[in-house]
Amino acid sequence: MTDIATLPYRDATLPVAERVDDLLSRLSLEEKAGQLSQYFYFGSVGELPADFDLSTVPPEHQAFIRQPQMVEAAIANGTAGSALFVTNAATANRLQRLAVEQTRHGIPLIFGFDVIHGLRTIFPVPIAQAASWNPASTEASQAVAAREARAIGISWSFAPMIDIARDPRWGRIIEGAGEDPHLGSAMAAAQVRGFQGDLGAERVLATPKHFAGYGAARGGRDYDDAEISDSELRNVYLPPFQAAVAAGAATVMSAYMDLNGVPASGSPWLLTQVLRDEMGFQGFVVSDANAVKSLETQHFAASATDAAARALSSGLDMEMCMFDPAFGTLPDAVAQGLVDEAAIDASVRRVLEAKFRLGLFEQPYVDEGAVAAVLEDPSHRDLAQAAAEQTAVLLKNDASALPLDAAGLGSIAVIGQLADSKRDTLGPWVFVHDTAETVSIVEGIRARVGETVRVEHAPGAGIPSRVFPSMFDRQDSTVVSTPADHDDDAEIERAVAVAADADVAVVVVGERQNQIGENASRSTIDLAGRQLEQLQRIAATGTPIVLVVMSGRPLDLRWADANVPAILQAWYPGTRGGDAVASVLFGDVSPAGRLPFTWPRHVGQVPMITAHLRTFEPQNQGKRYWDEESTPLYPFGHGLSYAAFAYDGLRLDREEIAVGEAATASVDVTNTSDREADEVVQLYIHQRYGTSSRPVRELKGFERITLAAGETRTVTFDLGPAELRYWSAATGDWVQDATTLDVWVGGSSTADLAAVLTVAAASDHR
């Protein structure tokens, strides 16, 4: 018997391509199909008693009980290439030994997991990180997430989600960067860099998802189909994926839904022509959970074999499945002439390349003794707090109601169930968290003011539970909900009394973490339950109010905006979220978060975006509805500061360029206040005429800067082909027009400091 340790693919000194060639030549067709199969691992079921009678369990549960044994058998048989939801280092090592030590080729598994905004150390949710407008902070956060994940055996993150989201009813708006392709592209690239780095021992594969158009699902409903014009798809939804590919993304996840009538997981146009041929993607594509078999459900494929053949032929390389994989039928598909073995080889090659690049053949196991030191690293918690401080968006601050002065306060009322909910502070899409070490908003405020200020918390109005429970709640023993015996009337009365007796009331409103995220779309953006009524009654007491909003989507704040002096959007700020919120409330840091989406007044305005077309009667844009202004409550890019900034001297290095050339825009930004603070400088353009109509304002540049009191800094932006070209439905191609451009720079999308740039045809330019 050949000693596999002596074979070429085991020689780490050889180029990866040669090692892959050697190993691929040794695999059977069944083993190749196995490398393309990824299984969920429901190992938490544990060992069953020897006398356990499986027939006593409801039929729908029996498959889940048997599932771990099924997966382990596939691993030991060499017909599994990857497993997911393994979050214990000892379990990862045990399963890896099955693959490495009990199969004839010893090919290691890739363990994948949804590491969305942290593993043990939870960072602000992705939409909050986008609100920082600081890609460097996000890159650092995801590098920590990767380090913690790799420590327990995870080498593949199913993130970042980079779907553009323009409908806040869609629950997964919380996982992305909001409405804008320029901001979304910057955050996508930063997350890829943070996760992957050089793919060393503390990095993981990144997986931009969901390719493509998932954020445009009809009605904001998860899993529903999307109809997107070519113009919108290429100008809005695809740019973040192009940026992620350019940043080196090793994998991409396909989407569930039908895009323009073709399931995204079975679309050769999407997965091969666009992703590989146009974008130049070189890695491998994995399906979303059960998406290959779903091709049958979607009445696209005739059978599991047909689904497997069509998905693979379209450009999908690995199937994520819970039970029997459709890709297990690929040998039959070859026999039937439905797919060529060469196509299977191409997919296997991509998967094996990733395993070699990760160093899994040389180091398949993790050091179980080192896990605790990594997961408990205090520097990770400090970084999480700093990240959260950067995400807070001050929506309103009349009469400088914020920051609060602890020295001038004798008592603070903190109102709201979310204010003292550690689990909700973390947000959704976390599974290896530790709520015991999470800092709630109440705890953060108490720690900040110390013993000299009385801080009293009243939970107040209940937050109604979902009509349809979250599928993730079964996996999370720390989920919090309003108790069944909660007396809303009594608790609201108590909250009002506590607020009336305080010097200031910090009222926390919003949604629970399981009311947003996957499978958590909603039909309204109202404050749930009686939160608004409670806020109105507290306001009637005359006690000054600071409203803190914990959400991942815009909520209906019309009454609050008209009646409450200060409103802070805190998002779901993570492990050290309470400390971060307190730092902002008391002015230890000046808020500099900016909205990554347009904040509508009412759900009836949805979708509402900044980069809309001018269309007919633009002077009446705000009067499209007869009963409500058709304008945002807060515009894209909005956010206030405790400092003040002046913009001056917007200038172009030249007033005219030719098509294909670039100009530089410069602006002087001065901190006119007496405190250091961050500002987010934003540049927008509008093209006055050309091959197609263009949006009234498009973000084309931004930079977050720190300015000392009185400091002035010059910020520059490039305006060249990358910023000025667009995809036109008139030509069916990318164009850059000879035209006139309006250029604005300022602190939000309402910036009014303007310049004009002329773009001449190359033949006319002198």
Side-chain angles (χ1 to χ4, degrees):
M1 183 175 178
T2 304
D3 181 1
I4 63 171
T6 65
L7 296 176
Y9 73 87
R10 287 290 179 179
D11 186 349
T13 66
L14 292 177
V16 167
E18 291 186 24
R19 300 177 75 184
V20 171
D21 285 341
D22 179 63
L23 178 53
L24 187 59
S25 71
R26 301 174 187 277
L27 300 182
S28 69
L29 187 52
E30 288 71 22
E31 288 169 333
K32 292 175 183 177
Q35 284 300 304
L36 306 183
S37 299
Q38 178 187 67
Y39 292 88
F40 280 80
Y41 182 73
F42 302 130
S44 59
V45 172
E47 293 290 332
L48 297 175
D51 60 351
F52 182 80
D53 184 359
L54 192 60
S55 65
T56 63
V57 178
E60 63 269 23
H61 296 163
Q62 291 182 21
F64 284 91
I65 294 174
R66 293 191 179 100
Q67 199 265 0
Q69 292 179 336
M70 177 198 73
V71 175
E72 291 182 25
I75 294 171
N77 193 41
T79 54
S82 175
L84 65 152
F85 260 74
V86 177
T87 58
N88 175 275
T91 302
N93 280 342
R94 181 176 64 81
L95 296 179
Q96 193 71 284
R97 288 189 182 93
L98 291 178
V100 172
E101 300 173 16
Q102 295 192 26
T103 64
R104 67 186 190 123
H105 302 297
I107 304 174
L109 300 166
I110 305 180
F111 291 108
F113 194 59
D114 287 282
V115 186
I116 307 301
H117 55 111
L119 187 81
R120 168 71 173 272
T121 306
I122 308 303
F123 290 84
V125 292
I127 193 69
Q129 294 189 41
S132 75
W133 292 59
N134 187 350
S137 174
T138 295
E139 182 176 341
S141 298
Q142 298 298 38
V144 167
R147 180 173 185 244
E148 292 186 355
R150 198 69 186 268
I152 66 172
I154 296 166
S155 51
W156 185 8
S157 170
F158 301 128
M161 194 211 82
I162 57 178
D163 294 311
I164 295 296
R166 296 183 159 189
D167 189 334
R169 294 173 297 178
W170 189 50
R172 302 194 77 167
I173 186 175
I174 196 172
E175 285 183 70
E179 75 179 45
D180 186 79
H182 186 84
L183 177 62
S185 295
M187 300 306 292
Q191 292 192 74
V192 169
R193 292 192 300 267
F195 281 125
Q196 290 189 181
D198 60 357
L199 277 186
E202 295 189 337
R203 299 300 180 116
V204 300
L205 304 177
T207 311
K209 63 183 186 185
H210 308 82
F211 197 72
Y214 187 29
R218 291 185 194 269
R221 296 182 294 269
D222 249 352
Y223 316 136
D224 274 12
D225 65 307
E227 288 286 335
I228 309 174
S229 70
D230 284 349
S231 175
E232 190 166 27
L233 184 66
R234 290 185 177 276
N235 289 317
V236 176
Y237 289 92
L238 291 182
F241 286 96
Q242 180 67 78
V245 169
T251 73
V252 165
M253 182 181 290
S254 66
Y256 279 122
M257 82 298 154
D258 284 63
L259 174 63
N260 301 336
V262 179
S265 294
S267 172
W269 175 80
L270 195 59
L271 299 181
T272 296
Q273 182 177 326
V274 175
L275 182 60
R276 294 199 183 279
D277 298 344
E278 296 182 18
M279 293 187 178
F281 177 63
Q282 299 295 314
F284 70 90
V285 179
V286 64
S287 78
D288 208 335
N290 294 328
V292 176
K293 283 196 169 181
S294 182
L295 297 179
E296 287 185 83
T297 303
Q298 291 166 264
H299 287 188
F300 179 74
S303 64
T305 303
D306 184 39
R310 294 176 72 175
L312 186 108
S313 298
S314 295
L316 194 145
D317 300 302
M318 179 180 282
E319 177 191 11
M320 181 192 296
C321 67
M322 291 186 181
F323 300 101
D324 295 331
F327 272 20
T329 69
L330 284 174
D332 291 337
V334 171
Q336 296 175 39
L338 298 176
V339 67
D340 292 333
E341 186 169 356
I344 296 174
D345 287 350
S347 292
V348 176
R349 179 179 298 279
R350 297 178 187 122
V351 172
L352 293 178
E353 284 176 351
K355 293 184 177 184
F356 281 116
R357 288 181 62 200
L358 283 165
L360 294 178
F361 281 83
E362 286 68 54
Q363 185 53 265
Y365 308 117
V366 293
D367 182 352
E368 297 173 32
V371 171
V374 175
L375 298 188
E376 297 168 9
D377 189 334
S379 70
H380 295 182
R381 311 306 191 268
D382 293 341
L383 188 62
Q385 179 175 340
E389 289 171 352
Q390 293 207 12
T391 67
V393 181
L394 185 58
L395 297 174
K396 183 183 179 185
N397 194 27
D398 283 358
S400 298
L402 287 176
L404 299 174
D405 180 6
L409 294 173
S411 61
I412 302 172
V414 183
I415 309 297
Q417 295 199 349
L418 297 176
D420 199 31
S421 172
K422 293 174 179 288
R423 178 64 189 89
D424 290 307
T425 300
L426 296 176
W429 276 117
V430 297
F431 303 97
V432 191
H433 55 284
D434 182 355
T435 52
E437 67 180 6
T438 304
V439 181
S440 71
I441 291 176
V442 170
E443 291 172 330
I445 291 174
R446 284 181 174 142
R448 173 60 179 77
V449 300
E451 300 294 330
T452 60
V453 181
R454 176 172 58 88
V455 178
E456 187 169 355
H457 173 246
I463 299 176
S465 297
R466 295 169 48 133
V467 174
F468 304 107
S470 169
M471 61 185 181
F472 295 109
D473 287 353
R474 296 190 300 270
Q475 305 170 44
D476 189 349
S477 62
T478 67
V479 170
V480 176
S481 60
T482 302
D485 61 352
H486 182 82
D487 186 336
D488 240 21
D489 289 334
E491 290 300 332
I492 290 174
E493 291 295 336
R494 177 172 171 256
V496 172
V498 168
D501 191 43
D503 294 331
V504 65
V506 177
V507 182
V508 182
V509 300
E511 297 178 295
R512 293 203 183 276
Q513 58 82 25
N514 62 358
Q515 295 174 336
I516 191 166
E518 184 173 359
N519 199 229
S521 298
R522 63 176 296 193
S523 61
T524 78
I525 57 172
D526 296 343
L527 288 174
R530 298 168 66 185
Q531 293 181 91
L532 176 56
E533 174 193 335
Q534 177 175 270
L535 176 63
Q536 292 169 333
R537 291 195 55 193
I538 291 172
T541 68
T543 298
I545 294 176
V546 173
L547 187 67
V548 176
V549 183
M550 189 182 290
S551 74
R553 58 162 61 94
L555 299 174
D556 188 340
L557 296 182
R558 288 175 296 173
W559 189 90
D561 181 71
N563 295 279
V564 175
I567 305 175
L568 182 71
Q569 175 68 17
W571 314 100
Y572 300 91
T575 297
R576 291 277 290 275
D579 290 331
V581 171
S583 292
V584 174
L585 291 176
F586 290 94
D588 301 329
V589 297
S590 177
R594 301 293 182 258
L595 289 178
F597 48 62
T598 302
W599 195 298
R601 299 173 182 275
H602 183 270
V603 72
Q605 296 176 307
V606 170
M608 173 171 278
I609 58 172
T610 291
H612 61 82
L613 299 179
R614 200 160 186 258
T615 71
F616 181 68
E617 289 192 347
Q619 71 276 13
N620 292 322
Q621 181 66 41
K623 304 175 183 177
R624 302 299 194 203
Y625 303 115
W626 64 262
D627 61 336
E628 180 88 32
E629 286 186 50
S630 51
T631 57
L633 186 62
Y634 307 114
F636 175 79
H638 169 75
L640 305 177
S641 173
Y642 298 152
F645 300 93
Y647 287 77
D648 188 37
L650 175 59
R651 55 206 179 270
L652 303 170
D653 65 337
R654 38 191 172 154
E655 296 181 352
E656 179 180 305
I657 60 173
V659 169
E661 294 182 341
T664 299
S666 301
V667 66
D668 300 324
V669 185
T670 302
N671 181 349
T672 59
S673 72
D674 60 0
R675 63 169 297 158
E676 179 181 279
D678 284 7
E679 171 68 336
V680 178
V681 185
Q682 304 166 42
L683 178 142
Y684 296 84
I685 69 167
H686 169 61
Q687 179 173 303
R688 294 184 185 176
Y689 54 87
T691 307
S692 297
S693 299
R694 301 302 298 142
V696 294
R697 291 206 178 192
E698 293 181 276
L699 178 70
K700 291 298 179 180
F702 67 89
E703 185 176 351
R704 181 168 176 146
I705 60 174
T706 302
L707 292 178
E711 181 183 0
T712 298
R713 187 178 307 174
T714 299
V715 180
T716 61
F717 300 100
D718 291 330
L719 285 172
E723 291 75 30
L724 304 183
R725 77 169 195 155
Y726 63 94
W727 199 93
S728 170
T731 63
D733 203 353
W734 295 95
V735 300
Q736 184 189 348
D737 291 318
T739 187
T740 300
L741 297 168
D742 295 301
V743 180
W744 297 273
V745 177
S748 80
S749 59
T750 62
D752 56 10
L753 186 61
V756 176
L757 176 64
T758 299
V759 182
S763 59
D764 297 334
H765 182 62
R766 295 188 297 273

